[in-house]
Amino acid sequence: MLARIAQELFWLGRDLTRAEHTARMLDGAFHADVAGVPGERGIALSWAGVLAVIGAKPPAPGEDAADATAVVPPHFGRAQIAPLLTLDTDSPASIVSCVARARERARTLRDVISTEMWEALNSFYLSLERYDLAAALATGPYSVYQEVKERCALFWGLLGRTMLHDEGRSFLEAGGRIEEADMVLRMLRVAVPGESDAAEAAGALAAGSAAGTGSAAGGREAEALALLQAVGGFQAYRRAARQSLELRGVVRFLLYEGMYPGSVASSLLALQRALETADAAPRSSPPVLRLGRLIADLELQRRTPETGRTLGEMLGRVQDELELVDHDIDERYFALAALAAVHV
Amino acid sequence: MNFAIRYLTRYDYDADVVDNLNALRVKPAANSRQRVDEFSVRLQPEVRLHRHADYFGTEVVEFEVSRPHRQLVVDVRARVSTAPAPDPPESSWDALSEEAYLEAGGEFLLATDDAPGHPVLLELLERTRAAPTPLATVMLVSELIPDRFDYRRGATYVDSPLAHVLDGGAGVCQDFVHLGLCVLRHHGIAARYVSGYLFATAVDGGPESVEVDTHAWLEALLPGDRSGEPVWVGADPTNRGLAGERHVKIGHGRHYADVPPIKGVYRGLASATLEASVTMTRLDGLDPAAIARA
Amino acid sequence: MTATDPGVDERGAASIEGYAVPAGCCDELIEDDGAPRPHAAPLLAALRRFGPRGLLEAGLRRDAIFMQQGITFEIAGTDGARRDRPFPLDLIPRILTATEWTAIKRGLAQRIRALNAFVDDVYHAHEIVRAGIVPWSLIVSRPSFARPVHGVRAPGGVYTHVAGCDLVRGGDGRWRVLEDNVRTPSGISYVLENRLAMTRLVPELFAGHRVRAVDHYPTLLLEALRAVAPATDSRPTVVLWTPGPANSAYFEHAFLAREMGIELVEASDLVVRDGVCYMRTTAGLQRVHAIYRRLDDDFIDPLEFRPDSLLGVPGLIRAYRAGTVAIANAVGTGVADDKAVYHYVPEMVRFYLGEEPILENVPTYLLSDEKQRRRVLSRLGELVVKPTSESGGKGVFIGPQASAAEREQQARLIEARPERFIAQELVHLSTVPTETGEGRLAPRHVDLRPFAVFGDEIRIVPGGLTRVALREGSMIVNSSQGGGSKDTWVLDDEGAAGDLAPGTLPVRRPPRLPDVRYGGWHGQAQQQQQSALPAACGLAGSG
């Protein structure tokens, strides 16, 4: 298969999955914001947190993109962030930008993907174009995000029904799964306090209880709930984990749970399978081998109770590895072709 | 009097059944005029028995046969000795409204709602209204009912409502008791349903061993004479009179459903045929060998 | 948070045109002079911005979403055919302040502790009877007095695991308990679904208020059920037992089972072997430690209750007696929420807890008492008469709305069976602005059913189900009789809100994340043209 086609398929999968996860996260943030939180006000799924996950630049003129993830102006709330990440065509991170890119790619891939997939994606794009998204976002963000989720699901569903099990499909799926793993990891890293934050977090919780409004446990439970709602895994967690909501359990679930399709472990496994199908020599493929080590490492971590290493560190390590996998994929499948492209 | 009782029940199912759970209320009660010398329950298939006393103090034997089976045999044996009932107290109507009486009467004072306003019931109430004392009312009720109604097996079912009996003019001992309870409670006399065994032969003589059925009679609460404690007095509206030495009590309740001798539920698409027999043998005067056989 | 300062500029501006609070009633959002109450000012300002049109449109979206999600109830149309209607959620919330809620919460917890103690006492020592406070004859005459569990102590000593007391607010603004409900109170699913729908449909209304969350109820319930489950294992199996899809509350049963992640079982899924309860699974029998049952005592165990019914799980009471399974609510709790027993609840609080009741009863008269009966009969036209053993508003007689003939008939019923009725003073239920069509607001009467969960301790979800009588002047709020519901907001402590406004929260610094990548063939080709050399590392263009 042409490297260009493969890479476009890969990124089509990534863009769509990013749009879906951004929608889920924003919906979760909306809910957490409006519905309030039992006993604790400082929740992890804050608007600033969402912005940090996506790594988008707040629309302050002249600001450097690198700063965006660090500090968000305190006045930044849902009135600024939700439109920025949903419908700002200037922001590459917004949902409409993701969908527009995905649709542009699909247009060049119309002979590779099935007609039904193309039509589903095209009408998705057109429906976002057509109606007054800003007004819809103001009156009912839920219905906007619901539509994004449903349209994405329709695309992947049609893939399952109509696309040949070929190399192209594998790259499309690989893109979707690597993006899903990446987004979930980002969200977890923002939600889980790291070493340096432990003291600060404790301070915030103490402030909460000093105000007489509830327990630290209540706050952590709320964080866990918000996280699950943001990835759409609440019901799955309840059925699979059969334990009460607490942050650590939820993080472990989203990281390790093989039965849950949205967990990092599941995504990595699916990514590995997709690459194995696509690769002519998977046994000597650096990304496949690296993934294999990462998956085995995760499984080991799952089975050994955490000693020494904190969850925060663990998440960081997994994401570093995933970044390397990403580079391996580029090099093995797309890079040579890219050089060729220059010389042509 | 001394009795040996054997209560044998056999269910035959025409297909396999499972999870057959049963509760037996068959053990003669132990009280001031009744002593239980022996009691045993044997089952086929053999399973473990659980016992407990229910709210009314009746001993309940529970068991379950969970594996598939086509037959269930419950073999109950007991030896009991009974003493004659003491003379019932004669007390006035006034005593019925005293606090101690109401307290002791409890739920057995609550009107039954089975057939409100039924003309036959109204007639019974009218005819029992004028008795001079509560005891006289009890006596009257236990004579009036067998006068007015025929004892006829098959006239009613276990759960027939009172209206069927009133309409049909016939029933069995259980129906007569329910009628009696209804009338007595209406007159403010606490009355309860008694389940038990009756050694039903002619008073003088007759065979030593008889095939009977489980029986039902009632107990009415009569205020004690000269401010004594109220006492429960047995009366048998099937046999026109007070209960005596031949009545072996199992337990009591508000109505039949509180003391059914056997109650069970099973799973399966089978229908069951039931064979039951109660044999009572009077042991007084029998030689030891005969007692051993009984 | 918006910068709305309640009490200053919004007060006059936000009043509702033509809004008249019914005489003798207290409106919870609007003062008598038509100005919004201070705590409701931001809401009324938001409503004003919204306008009737905005409200109407949100209503249409609501109906569409409810129909799609199946949050409906069946109603017979004019042609007699039954069809699904979206559950009538009124979009104007009811607001309780933190102070009000604290008092209600304490009062409810106290009352539920007393009711729980009463249930234990009724089936064991009978101390309250011996103390001469509640007559034994009353207890044994209650149809819900469960003789099969006399002497059986529930695991953990908890009987009333889930309680939903109905509260009303009279013309004097005081909260009173109208009814206790400790059998299988329903409605919590609507509390949760209402809140979810409100945050999705009208998020603007929440601006300017910090509303306490309700969505942790399933967690509370699951924890309570696990706390009472007699299991040595730390992960006891809890199930929710529903009578089946034909039950009117089936939606709620499925909702709670899903939210708690437990199995939704019917009687045929459960079996008792050797005094232990199991469920039938594809992997064989699995031990069940706690059952949250949503059906009456009568249908629990055919060996013990209702001989005419084959419903239920044979032997379950035996397992319960043996202490191998917890049943929530415990068997026999109905004796505590009987309407004739209700009269004694304030006495129970004093007797069992040695405290003065925080929440009062509505003045109630026992008609079995001759003196009280005569007084009631003489002023039947002013009172409410209820049958003692009914629920859901069945057979309720409302004096002021009854004709002379109806009054006479009710008097005859009382004379014939006085012990079957109680009479209560009529409470002029408080009102809350409610959308009455075309986006207009008018006062409608409401009550409140908060939900308490009792496991290790009593925990109460902020607010509860507000039911609203949608017909003008009507005080019957039951959904079966044309009632709707409202989202109930309990505001967070007003004082503390300033201290911890989101902007001043200690911001958790997110860890250094890798930049989000944007890629693809074309982006890559462009970068290659700009700088010819490093091929692979040029890929990670940041946004």
Side-chain angles (χ1 to χ4, degrees):
Chain A
M1 144 163 282
L2 285 175
R4 174 175 58 83
I5 301 295
Q7 194 178 21
E8 287 295 294
L9 283 164
F10 182 75
W11 278 97
L12 168 57
R14 291 195 74 154
D15 280 327
L16 259 191
T17 301
R18 189 175 298 171
E20 181 192 338
H21 272 266
T22 306
R24 285 189 184 279
M25 218 174 345
L26 288 170
D27 192 34
F30 257 107
H31 185 73
D33 188 3
V34 177
V37 170
E40 170 65 22
R41 291 186 186 81
I43 60 147
L45 202 73
S46 62
W47 292 102
V50 173
L51 203 55
V53 169
I54 309 288
K57 187 166 67 162
E63 203 171 348
D64 188 14
D67 294 347
T69 53
V71 175
V72 178
H75 65 271
F76 250 63
R78 94 176 168 224
Q80 291 77 31
I81 293 176
L84 173 72
L85 293 183
T86 308
L87 39 89
D88 189 341
T89 45
D90 292 336
S91 162
S94 72
I95 293 174
V96 290
S97 298
C98 287
V99 175
R101 279 197 306 276
R103 185 244 192 182
E104 275 314 304
R105 298 187 203 286
R107 194 211 281 280
T108 64
L109 298 169
R110 283 179 65 172
D111 57 328
V112 186
I113 62 175
S114 73
T115 311
E116 287 179 58
M117 287 162 71
W118 154 248
E119 283 171 2
L121 188 47
N122 191 42
S123 67
F124 181 14
Y125 170 76
L126 291 175
S127 82
L128 289 181
E129 282 274 278
R130 198 165 39 239
Y131 73 114
D132 187 351
L133 213 51
L137 192 63
T139 50
Y142 160 73
S143 49
V144 175
Y145 299 131
Q146 185 68 17
E147 167 149 16
V148 174
K149 286 187 278 182
E150 283 175 2
R151 296 282 190 158
C152 291
L154 178 62
F155 179 86
W156 293 112
L158 286 170
L159 175 138
R161 294 278 296 154
T162 59
M163 192 172 176
L164 205 58
H165 276 277
D166 61 4
E167 208 183 334
R169 176 169 171 161
S170 298
F171 279 111
L172 188 50
E173 282 175 337
R177 298 319 290 255
I178 196 170
E179 185 67 23
E180 182 161 28
D182 187 52
M183 288 294 275
V184 172
L185 276 169
R186 285 168 179 276
M187 200 157 39
L188 290 177
R189 291 192 66 194
V190 171
V192 177
E195 282 302 79
S196 60
D197 299 313
E200 259 181 289
L205 291 173
S209 18
T213 49
S215 61
R220 284 200 297 277
E221 176 186 292
E223 286 182 1
L225 191 66
L227 261 182
L228 282 172
Q229 274 165 348
V231 289
F234 176 70
Q235 209 179 330
Y237 176 79
R238 276 299 199 206
R239 280 199 74 80
R242 308 233 161 199
Q243 53 178 322
S244 51
L245 272 174
E246 47 94 20
L247 187 56
R248 198 171 188 81
V250 169
V251 170
R252 289 179 59 89
F253 177 78
L254 292 177
L255 198 52
Y256 301 131
E257 183 53 67
M259 287 198 298
Y260 177 56
S263 73
V264 173
S266 292
S267 291
L268 294 181
L269 208 60
L271 173 61
Q272 189 191 31
R273 267 195 222 116
L275 293 182
E276 277 170 353
T277 319
D279 204 305
R283 279 157 191 269
S284 58
S285 162
V288 173
L289 295 176
R290 192 185 290 280
L291 267 173
R293 288 195 298 275
L294 181 53
I295 290 164
D297 190 33
L298 269 183
E299 177 61 18
L300 187 69
Q301 283 294 325
R302 183 179 73 80
R303 275 187 280 162
T304 44
E306 289 101 26
T307 45
R309 248 190 299 186
T310 65
L311 266 178
E313 275 178 88
M314 178 66 195
L315 291 168
R317 259 172 41 89
V318 176
Q319 197 168 34
D320 290 345
E321 276 301 302
L322 193 61
E323 220 186 340
L324 293 175
V325 170
D326 204 0
H327 281 280
D328 286 344
I329 290 175
D330 270 337
E331 279 195 32
R332 182 159 179 93
Y333 308 113
F334 314 140
L336 273 175
L339 283 174
V342 170
H343 297 300
V344 161
Chain B
M1 290 181 174
N2 291 286
F3 300 105
I5 301 168
R6 183 170 186 205
Y7 180 7
L8 189 65
T9 314
R10 201 177 110 158
Y11 293 93
D12 284 294
Y13 306 99
D14 57 14
D16 278 351
V17 301
V18 293
D19 287 323
N20 196 339
L21 277 83
N22 293 272
L24 307 175
R25 283 176 173 82
V26 293
K27 185 183 177 183
N31 58 35
S32 59
R33 40 169 298 264
Q34 217 171 265
R35 197 182 70 229
V36 185
D37 296 321
E38 264 180 62
F39 176 73
S40 70
V41 176
R42 258 188 245 146
L43 299 171
Q44 238 173 43
E46 218 170 308
V47 288
R48 268 198 13 222
L49 302 172
H50 304 261
R51 296 161 193 242
H52 75 276
D54 70 12
Y55 170 78
F56 296 104
T58 311
E59 178 162 322
V60 187
V61 177
E62 290 178 326
F63 63 90
E64 69 186 59
V65 186
S66 42
R67 56 181 186 277
H69 57 286
R70 288 193 170 215
Q71 189 187 61
L72 172 66
V73 179
V74 182
D75 185 359
V76 177
R77 290 166 197 250
R79 269 185 205 179
V80 197
S81 58
T82 61
D87 287 338
E90 278 287 355
S91 41
S92 71
W93 284 106
D94 306 337
L96 292 187
S97 51
E98 276 168 23
E99 200 58 43
Y101 182 81
L102 297 176
E103 204 56 44
E107 53 249 85
F108 304 112
L109 278 164
L110 298 173
T112 59
D113 278 327
D114 302 338
H118 194 287
V120 179
L121 184 61
L122 293 181
E123 177 210 321
L124 283 180
L125 292 175
E126 192 49 46
R127 287 174 64 180
T128 49
R129 197 177 298 280
T133 61
L135 177 61
T137 311
V138 174
M139 300 299 292
L140 190 56
V141 164
S142 58
E143 279 163 18
L144 190 59
I145 290 173
D147 281 350
R148 184 68 180 71
F149 296 87
D150 294 332
Y151 186 94
R152 200 188 308 141
R153 278 167 197 273
T156 54
Y157 301 100
V158 167
D159 49 0
S160 285
L162 208 52
H164 282 198
V165 186
L166 293 165
D167 289 340
V172 294
C173 54
Q174 171 191 329
D175 304 311
F176 288 8
V177 175
H178 281 155
L179 263 178
L181 296 177
C182 186
V183 173
L184 290 174
R185 289 180 194 174
H186 189 271
H187 291 309
I189 300 170
R192 62 195 190 188
Y193 182 102
V194 179
S195 163
Y197 308 97
L198 173 66
F199 187 65
T201 57
V203 177
D204 41 350
E208 297 300 338
S209 191
V210 284
E211 288 285 322
V212 294
D213 271 324
T214 51
H215 187 55
W217 59 98
L218 62 81
E219 285 177 350
L221 186 67
L222 297 178
D225 10 1
R226 288 180 304 278
S227 74
E229 293 277 303
V231 271
W232 290 101
V233 174
D236 188 344
T238 315
N239 295 301
R240 296 167 191 274
L242 297 181
E245 268 184 296
R246 294 159 177 266
H247 289 82
V248 177
K249 174 176 172 177
I250 293 171
H252 59 258
R254 292 162 299 170
H255 38 64
Y256 168 80
D258 283 338
V259 267
I262 183 162
K263 191 172 171 184
V265 180
Y266 63 86
R267 273 179 207 272
L269 290 171
S271 55
T273 42
L274 162 68
E275 264 177 59
S277 67
V278 181
T279 314
M280 280 181 88
T281 307
R282 187 164 172 196
L283 304 177
D284 305 275
L286 284 190
D287 62 72
I291 292 175
R293 276 200 308 277
Chain C
M1 289 202 81
T2 67
T4 305
D5 183 1
V8 188
D9 42 6
E10 298 294 348
R11 252 183 87 109
S15 63
I16 305 169
E17 249 170 77
Y19 190 90
V21 178
C25 294
C26 135
D27 191 277
E28 300 192 9
L29 301 189
I30 308 286
E31 311 237 22
D32 289 344
D33 64 0
R37 294 187 186 273
H39 67 266
L43 170 70
L44 288 162
L47 279 173
R48 199 174 177 76
R49 285 195 295 275
F50 225 61
R53 233 195 117 95
L55 213 49
L56 260 186
E57 282 166 6
L60 294 176
R61 286 201 307 275
R62 165 199 62 202
D63 292 351
I65 289 183
F66 278 15
M67 286 304 282
Q68 185 204 339
Q69 297 181 343
I71 306 172
T72 55
F73 70 106
E74 267 192 357
I75 198 162
T78 42
D79 56 351
R82 300 190 70 81
R83 44 177 78 89
D84 278 355
R85 285 290 158 80
F87 184 73
L89 161 68
D90 181 71
L91 292 175
I92 319 301
R94 177 214 215 144
I95 306 184
L96 305 175
T97 65
T99 327
E100 260 178 321
W101 177 246
T102 306
I104 292 174
K105 199 167 79 172
R106 284 179 46 229
L108 280 175
Q110 180 193 53
R111 195 170 172 105
I112 290 159
R113 272 204 313 279
L115 288 170
N116 192 70
F118 176 70
V119 176
D120 186 77
D121 193 18
V122 158
Y123 294 111
H124 296 93
H126 308 168
E127 277 166 15
I128 201 162
V129 175
R130 281 189 275 144
I133 296 169
V134 180
W136 182 242
S137 57
L138 176 75
I139 291 170
V140 294
S141 66
R142 298 302 95 200
S144 48
F145 177 57
R147 291 170 178 83
V149 292
H150 194 267
V152 181
R153 183 152 271 125
V158 178
Y159 299 84
T160 56
H161 308 84
V162 178
C165 298
D166 290 344
L167 302 182
V168 293
R169 205 174 183 192
D172 55 0
R174 293 173 76 105
W175 290 93
R176 290 189 175 81
V177 180
L178 183 66
E179 238 174 79
D180 299 295
N181 209 329
V182 291
R183 295 175 213 205
T184 55
S186 64
I188 186 66
S189 59
Y190 293 115
V191 175
L192 274 62
E193 291 286 7
N194 282 355
R195 175 61 55 80
L196 191 61
M198 291 287 285
T199 61
R200 287 171 170 180
L201 291 165
V202 286
E204 307 89 312
L205 296 188
F206 288 80
H209 293 286
R210 282 221 72 94
V211 180
R212 289 196 199 164
V214 295
D215 49 12
H216 54 304
Y217 177 85
T219 308
L220 293 185
L221 180 56
L222 187 58
E223 278 169 6
L225 293 169
R226 285 191 173 140
V228 297
T232 45
D233 183 349
S234 63
R235 302 267 293 273
T237 302
V238 179
V239 298
L240 193 156
W241 180 5
T242 174
N247 187 275
S248 60
Y250 185 75
F251 163 75
E252 176 155 310
H253 307 160
F255 174 90
L256 287 174
R258 184 181 73 226
E259 292 285 313
M260 291 192 280
I262 62 176
E263 295 297 340
L264 181 65
V265 303
E266 296 182 23
S268 57
D269 298 318
L270 298 176
V271 62
V272 172
R273 298 259 167 94
D274 258 326
V276 175
C277 184
Y278 300 91
M279 60 179 168
R280 302 169 200 269
T281 75
T282 49
L285 295 181
Q286 187 189 335
R287 170 92 190 263
V288 170
H289 300 95
I291 300 173
Y292 177 40
R293 48 100 176 208
R294 293 294 300 257
L295 69 182
D296 285 345
D297 287 356
D298 277 355
F299 306 106
I300 277 196
D301 183 346
L303 277 179
E304 297 282 2
F305 296 95
R306 282 293 285 266
D308 54 331
S309 158
L310 279 182
L311 301 171
V313 180
L316 186 59
I317 294 296
R318 187 204 294 174
Y320 182 62
R321 209 185 289 125
T324 60
V325 66
I327 298 177
N329 286 356
V331 184
T333 49
V335 75
D337 67 11
D338 188 280
K339 289 187 175 69
V341 171
Y342 159 88
H343 173 76
Y344 297 95
V345 178
E347 284 303 318
M348 291 177 198
V349 172
R350 295 186 189 99
F351 181 74
Y352 293 115
L353 310 177
E355 298 170 9
E356 271 307 298
I358 298 167
L359 287 171
E360 295 170 49
N361 269 7
V362 172
T364 302
Y365 310 104
L366 291 182
L367 297 177
S368 46
D369 181 290
E370 204 188 321
K371 252 199 262 160
Q372 296 187 28
R373 181 167 70 241
R374 242 180 283 135
R375 250 177 303 163
V376 164
L377 287 173
S378 70
R379 47 189 285 264
L380 204 53
E382 302 159 33
L383 299 171
V384 176
V385 179
K386 297 174 175 176
T388 53
S389 305
E390 293 280 0
S391 63
K394 259 179 280 175
V396 174
F397 164 90
I398 299 176
Q401 289 170 12
S403 67
E406 283 168 329
R407 279 206 300 276
E408 215 157 282
Q409 194 202 348
Q410 187 65 37
R412 273 203 304 276
L413 285 173
I414 292 173
E415 296 276 19
R417 276 293 160 78
E419 74 280 359
R420 294 212 172 158
F421 298 94
I422 55 159
Q424 287 183 323
E425 294 292 343
L426 182 72
V427 180
H428 291 272
L429 300 186
S430 56
T431 57
V432 175
T434 300
E435 202 261 321
T436 58
E438 284 130 60
R440 267 200 306 274
L441 301 183
R444 290 291 182 267
H445 297 287
V446 293
D447 77 347
L448 177 66
R449 175 180 287 182
F451 289 89
V453 166
F454 194 168
D456 287 335
E457 50 177 341
I458 296 175
R459 299 181 72 182
I460 304 176
V461 175
L465 181 65
T466 291
R467 296 184 298 178
V468 55
L470 294 176
R471 268 192 312 256
E472 185 174 0
S474 167
M475 299 213 191
I476 307 245
V477 294
N478 304 75
S479 59
S480 55
Q481 312 201 19
S485 77
K486 283 174 169 289
D487 190 16
T488 312
W489 293 1
V490 173
L491 299 184
D492 235 328
D493 218 306
E494 297 94 313
D499 309 337
L500 273 171
T504 57
L505 249 188
V507 178
R508 179 187 296 157
R509 190 174 294 270
R512 197 189 304 271
L513 296 181
D515 289 337
V516 172
R517 294 188 66 213
Y518 296 95
W521 188 264
H522 299 289
Q524 172 180 322
Q526 268 172 11
Q527 292 209 14
Q528 294 292 340
Q529 280 158 13
Q530 283 158 8
S531 67
L533 244 184
C537 10
L539 293 168
S542 76

